[in-house]
Amino acid sequence: YLLRMGSPYEEIADGMWLVHDESAKLETIVIRASGPVIVFRAKVMSIPENRREDLYRMLLELNAREMLHSAYGIEENAVVLTAALETENLDFNEFQAAIDDMTLALTNHIDRLAKFRKAA
């Protein structure tokens, strides 16, 4: 599927790839085959010291209103976008849709998220 997509990528470990998408606001998407699931993950930004509650509320609202295949979450001290798909019946369209959802989400949300980066 990665070859078919045509985006530059590199295999960094067995069952783990970095997809570079220069057209998106995401530097890289990590894709990991983990048992019966393919996990997609991208770091969006560090969590700011100020206005955390406002940021968390916005992320939850975006998850509820605007996300299809992926969701915002928190991992350590960072906001991440994640998605997971079962591999059993995975087809190319689903694989591509998960990546497209992540890149479209951040493209659409980058201005709102930028307000929190400045508040850090």
Side-chain angles (χ1 to χ4, degrees), residues 62-103:
L62 291 171
N63 282 345
R65 292 187 198 143
E66 300 184 27
M67 306 305 285
L68 296 173
H69 300 282
S70 57
Y72 288 104
I74 296 172
E75 184 177 292
E76 296 179 10
N77 198 34
V79 174
V80 295
L81 266 174
T82 61
L85 298 171
E86 292 185 29
T87 57
E88 185 177 350
N89 297 311
L90 181 64
D91 65 21
F92 177 74
N93 292 332
E94 291 174 303
F95 186 88
Q96 182 70 52
I99 293 173
D100 289 348
D101 185 53
M102 293 174 79
T103 55

Side-chain angles (χ1 to χ4, degrees), residues 16-94:
M16 186 178 289
W17 303 267
L18 288 179
V19 177
H20 307 281
D21 191 347
E22 290 90 19
S23 67
K25 304 294 182 189
L26 299 169
E27 292 180 19
T28 58
I29 298 173
V30 176
I31 300 174
R32 180 174 42 98
S34 180
V37 177
I38 300 288
V39 177
F40 303 79
R41 182 195 168 283
K43 181 179 176 183
V44 176
M45 62 185 270
S46 295
I47 296 174
E49 292 297 321
N50 303 318
R51 299 181 55 215
R52 287 181 176 207
E53 293 81 10
D54 294 336
L55 173 62
Y56 299 157
R57 180 181 181 92
M58 185 187 74
L59 294 173
L60 288 170
E61 289 172 351
L62 291 171
N63 282 345
R65 292 187 198 143
E66 300 184 27
M67 306 305 285
L68 296 173
H69 300 282
S70 57
Y72 288 104
I74 296 172
E75 184 177 292
E76 296 179 10
N77 198 34
V79 174
V80 295
L81 266 174
T82 61
L85 298 171
E86 292 185 29
T87 57
E88 185 177 350
N89 297 311
L90 181 64
D91 65 21
F92 177 74
N93 292 332
E94 291 174 303

